Amino acid sequence: FFFQAEDGIRDRDVTGVQTCALPIFIAAGGRPRASSAQQSEAEAMRQLLLDLGVPGPAIELEERSENTIENITFVRQLAGDAPVALVTSAYHIPRALRIARAYGLNASAFPTDWQAGWHERTGWQNWLPTLEACRVSERAIREHIAALFDWRERHSRLSSL
């Protein structure tokens, strides 16, 4: 099962193929709203899985989702109660697993795309702004904001029951 293909699609797919001897791969992800991409994230992952030697009939696509909650919901519809390997960026795993548990997806985490620390800089240089620090901050801020939207979405669904 492959999940959320922003940056690092290749890392996630390679990790999934190497660690998951599964009978089926679900490539999940639609077209981001603000994107001019011609193909969905799921289709991009399918292409890479084929290049890695996964047979076409072993790949299912989930192309409707626009966010993590929809990814989980639609994959749950495809997988049912079967166990799935949740392969996504390490920074995204905690939120993705929380959502998977909340929506009843039987998922085990397989993080990839790990981000290294500041090992090449001396201590005082860590206090200076860098482009990499901006990228790390952007990922962290995006995950925190998305967690707030996830909370709002779950509570609005519960209150409508």
Side-chain angles (χ1 to χ4, degrees):
F1 161 62
F2 292 91
F3 188 81
Q4 289 228 322
E6 309 141 356
D7 300 326
I9 290 174
R10 181 166 174 74
D11 288 345
R12 281 185 275 277
D13 284 357
V14 170
T15 299
V17 170
Q18 290 173 340
T19 61
C20 303
L22 300 175
I24 194 153
F25 291 85
I26 301 173
R31 286 183 188 87
R33 285 186 206 164
S35 172
S36 61
Q38 297 300 315
Q39 65 180 348
S40 67
E41 292 175 346
E43 180 58 33
M45 286 186 276
R46 186 184 78 78
Q47 287 298 130
L48 185 55
L49 287 168
L50 291 170
D51 292 346
L52 292 171
V54 175
I59 304 169
E60 285 193 39
L61 297 182
E62 181 290 292
E63 298 181 281
R64 298 179 296 162
S65 60
E66 294 182 359
N67 58 51
T68 303
I69 289 177
E70 290 179 358
N71 278 143
I72 295 291
T73 301
F74 297 145
V75 168
R76 172 75 165 89
Q77 290 170 3
L78 291 169
D81 293 330
V84 297
L86 176 64
V87 181
T88 191
S89 295
Y91 71 85
H92 185 55
I93 282 285
R95 188 168 68 89
L97 276 178
R98 270 195 312 274
I99 296 168
R101 288 184 187 117
Y103 285 80
L105 184 65
N106 183 9
S108 296
F110 288 83
T112 186
D113 195 26
W114 291 90
Q115 303 296 311
W118 307 101
H119 62 281
E120 294 181 10
R121 298 171 55 154
T122 60
W124 67 269
Q125 288 176 320
N126 288 331
W127 292 96
L128 299 175
T130 65
L131 289 176
E132 179 57 23
C134 289
R135 283 190 286 274
V136 170
S137 295
E138 182 268 335
R139 286 184 200 115
I141 291 167
R142 187 176 70 205
E143 283 297 304
H144 286 291
I145 291 171
L148 291 173
F149 282 107
D150 296 345
W151 180 85
R152 190 183 76 182
E153 174 73 17
R154 281 196 311 271
H155 288 340
S156 69
R157 285 186 186 190
L158 289 176
S159 65
S160 67
L161 294 177

